[in-house]
Amino acid sequence: MTIELNARPLRAGGYLLALLALVPCSPRVPSKPDEPMIRSLASAGARAAAQRDATALCSQLTDDAKIRLVEVRFTGSDIKRFDKPQWCEYLKLGYAAMPANVEVSTSVKLRSITIAADGKSAGVEADVIEEMNLGGRGLRMTSQQSATVVLVTGQAKYSEVSARMTGGQ
């Protein structure tokens, strides 16, 4: 691509306009979360969980994210709280402990998406089913999750996640 300018000197404004003509228009960065963005975030998370990709799952969290996990068992409930680094390590250790030939599938059913009145965040309610199969033996875990989604440099991310899990069904 060749651009030629007249030999005449350009005024400051003309020079600026010439430079702006060379700069491609940048895409619009979203200023608030919307439903398609949140659905995409949930779908990407389900794919990452099925692939046991802790790095991809962790990239969906804000740096100051808070995670609360309630594991419901026959003997009672166990509540665990994590910040982002703790959660990422928990995921990595859990995935590393799984045999390589375990088949994992994850489905997410979004029950509700509520954009806050100020447009700065969204509340999400979802039912998640994770199934693992190893040589014909299966394990099914279900969870009811609630999360807060915010935008960080135009990207939807979870800032808070709370999950109530039951498993072994």
Side-chain angles (χ1 to χ4, degrees), residues 34-53 56-57 59-60 95 104-110 113 124-130 145 149 156 158:
D34 60 25
E35 192 168 317
M37 188 182 297
I38 293 166
R39 288 187 184 284
S40 177
L41 181 68
S43 294
R47 282 190 306 277
Q51 295 169 355
R52 297 181 275 190
D53 188 344
L57 287 168
S59 74
Q60 292 189 317
Y95 289 152
V104 179
S105 68
T106 304
S107 66
V108 178
K109 179 183 178 201
L110 295 174
I113 299 172
V124 180
E125 301 286 330
D127 295 320
V128 179
I129 299 173
E130 294 179 279
Q145 300 184 9
V149 175
Y158 296 108

Side-chain angles (χ1 to χ4, degrees), residues 39-162:
R39 288 187 184 284
S40 177
L41 181 68
S43 294
R47 282 190 306 277
Q51 295 169 355
R52 297 181 275 190
D53 188 344
T55 302
L57 287 168
C58 290
S59 74
Q60 292 189 317
L61 299 171
T62 62
D63 289 340
D64 61 348
K66 301 293 179 215
I67 295 95
R68 179 177 174 264
L69 180 62
V70 179
E71 295 174 328
V72 179
R73 300 188 181 118
F74 292 116
T75 57
S77 297
D78 185 19
I79 300 173
K80 297 177 181 176
R81 297 177 192 279
F82 303 90
D83 60 17
K84 181 179 180 176
Q86 292 166 331
W87 179 248
C88 294
E89 186 64 20
Y90 181 79
L91 286 175
K92 288 175 186 173
L93 291 173
Y95 289 152
M98 290 175 133
N101 57 341
V102 170
E103 297 172 17
V104 179
S105 68
T106 304
S107 66
V108 178
K109 179 183 178 201
L110 295 174
R111 284 184 280 133
S112 70
I113 299 172
T114 307
I115 308 296
D118 64 4
K120 294 182 180 180
S121 65
V124 180
E125 301 286 330
D127 295 320
V128 179
I129 299 173
E130 294 179 279
E131 295 177 302
M132 291 175 250
N133 188 344
L134 176 60
R137 298 187 62 155
L139 174 67
R140 178 183 172 131
M141 294 180 292
T142 61
S143 65
Q144 294 78 44
Q145 300 184 9
S146 60
T148 301
V149 175
V150 297
L151 289 187
V152 177
T153 60
Q155 295 282 321
K157 293 189 179 266
Y158 296 108
S159 63
E160 293 181 25
V161 179
S162 180

